[in-house]
Amino acid sequence: MISEQAEAQLLEEERRLIERAQAGDRDAIRPLFERFAEPLYSGVILPRLGDAATAEDVLKDTFLTAIEKIGQFRWQGRTVYVWLRQIATNKVIDVHRRTARAGRLAHALAEELETTTVPTTSADVALISAEESRINRGRIATAMEALSPRYREAIRLRLIEEQPREACAAAMKVSLGNFDVLLFRAVRAFRKSFGDPMGAEGEDSA
Amino acid sequence: MNEKPPYDAPPGATGSDADSGAEPEPTAEELARAASLARLVDRISAGEPPPPAMPAEDRLLLDAAAMIHAAHQPRQLPARKVNELVAAALAQPDAEPRRSSRKAGPDKTEPGFVGPVLLAFPGGARREAATATAPGDADADLSAAPERGSASGIDLRPRSTRLRVMVGTVVLAMAAALALWVWSARQNRLGAGRPGGAGLATGSGLGQKLRSRSAGSLLGGPIASAESGNARARMDLVFADRLSGYREVVFRGRARRGVATEVSP
């Protein structure tokens, strides 16, 4: 964690860069994009999309929108990351809305946006990343609480701890094929728990 | 092969309905989908992109699995890639920074700000007001085109707006149908008042003989039953009358133009 003085310097630097960008020097915003690209990508966009390629596109779109709307931004004495995060989250919701079946997931994300606060107003990128990671894990953990223990275990072993299928099957004392089915059902149940009840019902009836 | 069924709940297990007691045996389809998801999860772990084409339901499950994975195994974006994306965004000619314009009014830069979004009419689709707008979007963006990257293909207008548009369309259609009916009725009345019967356009300038009319006057009233089989003679009579009218129209035109009007045998 950086000192208050360093934090103040970072904020002052952001303010100057924003002013230059608002005056027409679009290149002035480059350092800010480069600084916050990582927490936006790995902390905000990718955990809400899952697909790396789409996440990269959304990150680029976030930058484009920020460039377009930089003139409307008002400096409030805190990091511009807050604003960029807002744009990125909106873009993520847009992506989810493009998929009809994911409409409820988009709705869940939109509701989450309204109810959660920005993790931090610090300009410290490391702190930002840590806070975003904490939020993301909290979201997942909340959804997983609704699952059965076996489902939670399957997800924990395979997706969180990244253990190979064979090791997961052995740990749960099932065959490889049966573990695949267990994980399949676990992910489906997770999705239902996270905010897509119609999606899960549709899959169940298939 | 003897396998312990995986679906018996372990002692003391609690949880969802799907896991209470023995889970149902998987169907062949479920087995196939589970195997497919397993392979896709391997790709997630390896950092590989998903296949470009896959069933929608499988993609949704894969996305959910990827979200769980990404939350706990954050993937760093290489610096080279960051530079690429930033350079690409800055190089876009359309993305010109708008110069700052101080506006009076409430500050909209608070994250999570949910503001009313006016609808661009006609036909413009704007996002639901419940969706938070990017801070700073405020007034200047209300009449702008949908921002780049916005959803498309799905009508995101509020239900009330869609209803208003639908009602307006229906009212317009009914008004058009009513106007057409009134005009048609007027035409019929005008046609009925002229010699030659209903349905005629005004100002046609045609003589009675040249207008559409009943053949009753030619045939002289109801046909006697004894004469009912002599349809050919009646048809010849009507045809001759109509042909005479046709020739009059055609040859009148030719006579006006000085063309010979001899009728070839």
Side-chain angles (χ1 to χ4, degrees):
Chain A
M1 190 155 172
I2 60 177
S3 64
E4 283 188 17
Q5 188 179 5
E7 173 102 17
Q9 286 176 349
L10 278 176
L11 288 177
E12 180 58 26
E13 180 193 0
E14 282 189 27
R15 189 189 64 78
R16 281 199 304 266
L17 291 171
I18 294 289
E19 275 183 6
R20 281 175 50 196
Q22 289 177 330
D25 179 12
R26 79 155 65 178
D27 225 42
I29 208 170
R30 180 191 296 264
L32 297 177
F33 285 171
E34 290 172 348
R35 180 184 303 170
F36 295 122
E38 186 53 47
L40 284 172
Y41 175 82
S42 60
V44 178
I45 299 172
L46 184 60
R48 288 172 173 81
L49 286 179
D51 175 34
T54 308
E56 289 174 9
D57 290 340
V58 168
L59 181 64
K60 181 184 163 190
D61 282 346
T62 300
F63 293 154
L64 285 168
T65 300
I67 293 171
E68 288 176 10
K69 299 190 187 306
I70 193 65
Q72 301 165 26
F73 175 77
R74 291 189 184 177
W75 180 257
Q76 290 185 301
R78 59 180 182 180
T79 176
V80 71
Y81 172 78
V82 171
W83 184 60
L84 293 173
R85 184 183 192 273
Q86 181 87 24
I87 298 174
T89 311
N90 288 343
K91 296 291 183 185
V92 167
I93 294 174
D94 280 347
V95 171
H96 280 292
R97 281 206 168 119
R98 284 187 205 123
T99 309
R101 293 280 310 269
R104 289 177 185 262
L105 190 60
H107 183 68
L109 288 173
E111 282 187 340
E112 172 197 327
L113 176 68
E114 291 175 16
T115 57
T116 58
T117 56
V118 177
T120 176
T121 57
S122 167
D124 182 358
V125 174
L127 182 62
I128 290 171
S129 296
E131 286 296 308
E132 294 287 6
S133 179
R134 183 185 62 78
I135 286 179
N136 291 328
R137 296 186 184 191
R139 289 166 55 232
I140 302 299
T142 302
M144 283 180 62
E145 281 174 9
L147 305 185
S148 71
R150 283 178 68 79
Y151 286 175
R152 281 202 299 269
E153 183 69 6
I155 289 177
R156 183 183 68 80
L157 289 170
R158 187 75 178 104
L159 297 175
I160 295 177
E161 295 184 5
E162 278 195 313
Q163 292 194 33
R165 290 166 63 217
E166 295 77 8
C168 298
M172 297 193 71
K173 298 183 174 53
V174 297
S175 69
L176 198 56
N178 288 337
F179 175 76
D180 291 341
V181 174
L182 199 59
L183 181 67
F184 174 81
R185 291 176 176 177
V187 173
R188 192 170 56 187
F190 169 84
R191 193 155 189 282
K192 178 178 178 178
S193 170
F194 194 79
D196 186 32
M198 288 305 294
E201 287 172 9
E203 289 161 12
D204 287 340
S205 65
Chain B
M1 117 170 80
N2 270 343
E3 295 177 334
K4 176 183 174 182
Y7 310 110
D8 292 329
T14 59
S16 67
D17 291 340
D19 202 36
S20 58
E23 284 197 25
E25 287 290 323
T27 62
E29 183 189 350
E30 191 175 18
L31 282 169
R33 293 185 64 194
S36 174
L37 180 64
R39 288 190 294 273
L40 293 170
V41 169
D42 282 338
R43 295 176 71 127
I44 293 175
S45 299
E48 296 173 10
M54 50 191 298
E57 293 183 3
D58 287 353
R59 180 168 292 281
L60 294 176
L61 286 182
L62 178 63
D63 285 348
M67 286 170 64
I68 298 171
H69 181 268
H72 294 84
Q73 303 288 345
R75 186 175 303 149
Q76 300 285 332
L77 201 57
R80 171 191 56 79
K81 193 65 181 177
V82 171
N83 292 337
E84 252 179 50
L85 293 173
V86 172
L90 290 172
Q92 286 277 353
D94 295 336
E96 286 293 336
R98 296 180 189 170
R99 291 185 183 269
S100 172
S101 55
R102 296 286 177 183
K103 289 186 172 61
D107 181 56
K108 304 286 194 302
T109 59
E110 282 297 319
F113 164 70
V114 177
V117 177
L118 291 181
L119 302 169
F121 185 82
R126 299 292 293 172
R127 197 157 60 211
E128 170 76 55
T131 302
T133 62
D137 278 355
D139 305 330
D141 196 39
L142 293 180
S143 59
E147 63 180 12
R148 187 178 293 109
S150 293
S152 61
I154 301 175
D155 188 350
L156 300 178
R157 295 175 295 178
R159 186 187 176 92
S160 59
T161 306
R162 294 200 298 270
L163 198 58
R164 280 200 294 270
V165 171
M166 196 185 319
V167 168
T169 305
V170 168
V171 168
L172 279 175
M174 288 175 63
L178 184 64
L180 187 63
W181 178 77
V182 168
W183 178 82
S184 173
R186 183 166 175 264
Q187 291 301 318
N188 285 343
R189 285 197 300 274
L190 288 173
R194 285 203 184 87
L200 287 176
T202 59
S204 61
L206 293 176
Q208 170 67 22
K209 187 180 180 183
L210 301 177
R211 294 182 185 178
S212 177
R213 62 194 184 282
S214 168
S217 58
L218 286 175
L219 301 178
I223 300 170
S225 61
E227 293 293 321
S228 62
N230 195 15
R232 183 167 181 169
R234 289 192 291 277
M235 284 167 56
D236 288 345
L237 179 61
V238 172
F239 177 75
D241 178 75
R242 301 307 190 238
L243 183 59
S244 169
Y246 169 76
R247 284 173 172 167
E248 193 170 331
V249 169
V250 170
F251 295 144
R252 181 176 64 183
R254 289 184 180 180
R256 199 175 295 131
R257 293 194 301 272
V259 177
T261 58
E262 283 295 327
V263 177
S264 57

